[in-house]
Amino acid sequence: KQEVTQIPAALSVPEGENLVLNCSFTDSAIYNLQWFRQDPGKGLTSLLLIQSSQREQTSGRLNASLDKSSGRSTLYIAASQPGDSATYLCAVRAVAAGNKLTFGGGTRVLVKP
Amino acid sequence: SAVISQKPSRDICQRGTSLTIQCQVDSQVTMMFWYRQQPGQSLTLIATANQGSEATYESGFVIDKFPISRPNLTFSTLTVSNMSPEDSSIYLCSVAKGGTDTQYFGPGTRLTVL
């Protein structure tokens, strides 16, 4: 059974510092991995999708890497801003799970002005 | 991409009653998913809804408690039946475009059961 872990559970950084968020998964047979942002009490916003054949994806200040063999993905957010404060979730679509996503527990980020 | 709307956005309900949540997508999709997010927790898949067939429920979720309708390729409803305070959660509708591509989520329905 696929398990997805995100460490740390919470992170606080001063504005301008780079953010590094980690995601690990136990079954490397995946279709893709997706990073989401969730603001309190709201739905999820898709940030980046990395296919299993890709090593990284970039969008603006965001960069996500994928090392499928070691079961790891990292989301980098450059030059953090207070507006980046949110919970970040990673989710894996594993071959064994068909079309279903398995979510990590999330990392709650606070960027202090 | 996909734009998803949900109704209601939030509700406060009494124990023992039922609530139906609506999900509308701006384009036709094969599969729609319903998730639950309990306070302080991550997302748990309730069921997958395909148009024209019965929904497929995950372990721990049953049709009598969470009946789902999927009348067409852009709309679905989830009913939370005979509610208890333990059902207080955010319920999220989601779609995946192209089968294994990006998954999109609605804004969620925040349910509080008293």
Side-chain angles (χ1 to χ4, degrees):
Chain A
K1 177 186 173 185
Q2 178 75 267
E3 293 183 3
V4 182
T5 304
Q6 292 186 248
I7 296 174
L11 185 61
S12 179
V13 299
E15 181 177 2
E17 193 166 296
N18 296 333
L19 283 164
V20 180
L21 307 178
N22 298 303
C23 173
S24 61
F25 48 95
T26 55
D27 183 355
S28 62
I30 65 171
Y31 289 119
N32 54 48
L33 182 146
Q34 196 166 351
W35 282 94
F36 296 90
R37 168 187 171 137
Q38 185 177 33
D39 293 293
K42 304 294 185 182
L44 276 65
T45 300
S46 177
L47 297 174
L48 290 167
L49 174 84
I50 311 177
Q51 300 291 356
S52 64
S53 58
Q54 297 175 319
R55 297 283 294 182
E56 67 176 344
Q57 279 287 331
T58 298
S59 176
R61 293 185 295 113
L62 276 59
N63 174 277
S65 66
L66 174 65
D67 185 342
K68 203 173 63 167
S69 61
S70 66
R72 293 180 183 177
S73 177
T74 302
L75 178 66
Y76 301 89
I77 303 177
S80 62
Q81 305 168 357
D84 295 327
S85 299
T87 295
Y88 292 83
L89 295 152
C90 73
V92 171
R93 195 185 304 277
V95 173
N99 259 324
K100 295 177 284 190
L101 288 179
T102 302
F103 279 85
T107 296
R108 189 171 65 253
V109 171
L110 175 63
V111 180
K112 297 179 180 179
Chain B
S1 66
V3 178
I4 304 171
S5 60
Q6 286 184 234
K7 290 181 182 179
S9 58
R10 61 198 312 150
D11 207 341
I12 301 173
C13 301
Q14 295 298 318
R15 180 195 299 261
T17 62
S18 297
L19 176 72
T20 295
I21 302 167
Q22 299 179 7
C23 176
Q24 180 76 50
V25 188
D26 69 339
S27 57
Q28 293 183 340
V29 292
T30 303
M31 286 188 291
M32 296 177 78
F33 305 90
W34 286 99
Y35 288 83
R36 180 176 74 181
Q37 186 176 32
Q38 294 176 301
Q41 303 295 313
S42 190
L43 278 73
T44 301
L45 181 64
I46 298 172
T48 303
N50 292 329
Q51 194 266 337
S53 63
E54 292 285 330
T56 303
Y57 289 83
E58 296 300 303
S59 176
F61 298 96
V62 295
I63 187 172
D64 289 346
K65 175 67 175 178
F66 297 101
I68 289 171
S69 78
R70 183 79 201 275
N72 58 51
L73 291 173
T74 63
F75 187 80
S76 178
T77 67
L78 169 77
T79 298
V80 186
S81 303
N82 188 24
M83 288 184 286
S84 67
E86 291 71 35
D87 294 319
S88 297
S89 297
I90 298 174
Y91 292 86
L92 297 130
C93 171
S94 178
V95 303
K97 300 286 286 197
T100 57
D101 287 337
T102 305
Q103 192 148 336
Y104 300 93
F105 283 79
T109 295
R110 173 167 276 199
L111 171 61
T112 302
V113 184
L114 303 177

